[in-house]
Amino acid sequence: MPDQAGSAAPTGPSPVGPLIVVALDFGLKRIGIASGDTLTRAAHPRSTIANGPKGPDWTALERLLADVRPARIAVGEPYNADGSVSPLTEAARRFAAELAQRSHLPVDLVDERWSSQDAEERLRDARASGERRRRVTREDIDAAAAAVILERWLERWSKQHTRT
């Protein structure tokens, strides 16, 4: 079951080894996907899957999870700029709950405010610097936003599991 809003950091005992984590940027048209791990603490944009009136492409998502074999999933929880919930917040929570039930994996909700803007800025900067050659698409932004969500999850995980 997803954590309640505001408690997105993973809980429980410290893992024995590194964890592979998949992050999802929930949207009504597409769901951005990123993956990473707690050893390198790096998040990598992967792709997107379709979402629509009939729901997400569960087959594609289940195939991805089978390939990546994550220990946990982080789902972006959208809020309005002022921190209030929106209709998209509730839709993302329902998606996260169904994902937890289908995948049998822990699903953590992560505040995703401004993740898409951050992702778009990073991608445009990479293109302006010549690091990225092709134009930036909505799919690129959604996958990069999932990486931003995963970076936030990894930062909280690191704070919880790093001994000082």
Side-chain angles (χ1 to χ4, degrees), residues 68-82:
V68 177
R69 300 180 62 177
R72 299 188 80 93
I73 302 170
V75 173
E77 187 175 33
Y79 290 98
N80 293 319
D82 66 0

Side-chain angles (χ1 to χ4, degrees), residues 14 16 18 24 43 63 78 91 107 116 120 133 141 148 156:
S14 181
V16 174
L24 304 171
R63 191 175 322 121
V107 175
S116 293
E120 185 172 9
R133 300 199 189 284
I141 295 168
V148 171
R156 281 192 286 278

